[in-house]
Amino acid sequence: MQVTSKWLDGMCFVGTTPTGHSVVMEGAAAEGAAKRGPSPMEMLLLGVAGCSSIDVVMIAEKQRQDVADCQATVTAKRADDTPRVFTEIHIHFKVFGRGLKESAIEKAVQLSAEKYCSASIMLGKAAKVTHSFEVVEV
């Protein structure tokens, strides 16, 4: 896998994937200017949210769960000193559906956390990663 990052100006870069998708990232906007994109550290958390959410939905659907929506909220703490790595990451899933079995969603979250989500497992080597979930009937 290879991606590129091209400097625009200030602390703003455009990242591009091999499939041609692009995202604007900005460390800090100039004073008085609107920030044009997420920070690289926010992108890491978005990656974890996306990776783990894909797993949870895919596993739940394989268990014949009628999932209507899945939202992941990722909360993280960073070290005070440089490098300001993540020290704690918590992923909370809110899974919406019809007749969902709590045990099936719990299993999906567990499998994502322990076996499938490369992003959270990799970050778990440097930070404490925890998970929780709730099921919402629609």
Side-chain angles (χ1 to χ4, degrees):
M1 185 180 299
Q2 181 178 0
V3 298
T4 60
S5 177
K6 183 178 182 329
W7 182 47
L8 290 177
D9 57 40
M11 293 294 115
C12 191
F13 293 78
V14 173
T16 306
T17 69
T19 54
H21 295 93
S22 296
V23 63
V24 175
M25 300 173 285
E26 188 158 31
E31 189 172 328
K35 193 167 178 188
R36 294 171 280 182
S39 73
M41 293 299 277
E42 289 170 329
M43 290 293 296
L44 281 173
L45 297 181
L46 284 171
V48 168
C51 182
S52 57
S53 294
I54 289 167
D55 292 339
V56 168
V57 169
M58 183 176 62
I59 294 165
E61 287 182 340
K62 284 184 180 179
Q63 295 176 21
R64 302 189 188 280
Q65 298 300 295
D66 188 6
V67 176
D69 193 9
C70 179
Q71 299 171 5
T73 301
V74 181
T75 307
K77 292 183 182 177
R78 294 178 68 183
D80 292 330
D81 299 322
T82 304
R84 298 202 53 235
V85 300
F86 291 119
T87 56
E88 296 177 28
I89 299 170
H90 181 74
I91 308 166
H92 179 76
F93 298 95
K94 196 170 188 178
V95 184
F96 300 80
R98 290 162 288 283
L100 297 176
K101 294 181 185 169
E102 191 162 318
S103 61
I105 303 305
E106 180 178 30
K107 183 70 171 176
V109 170
Q110 178 187 10
L111 284 170
S112 175
E114 297 175 0
K115 186 173 183 181
Y116 293 112
C117 182
S118 304
S120 69
I121 292 168
M122 180 183 63
L123 287 173
K125 307 271 185 208
K128 179 183 177 185
V129 179
T130 57
H131 301 77
S132 62
F133 71 95
E134 61 185 288
V135 173
V136 180
E137 183 69 24
V138 293

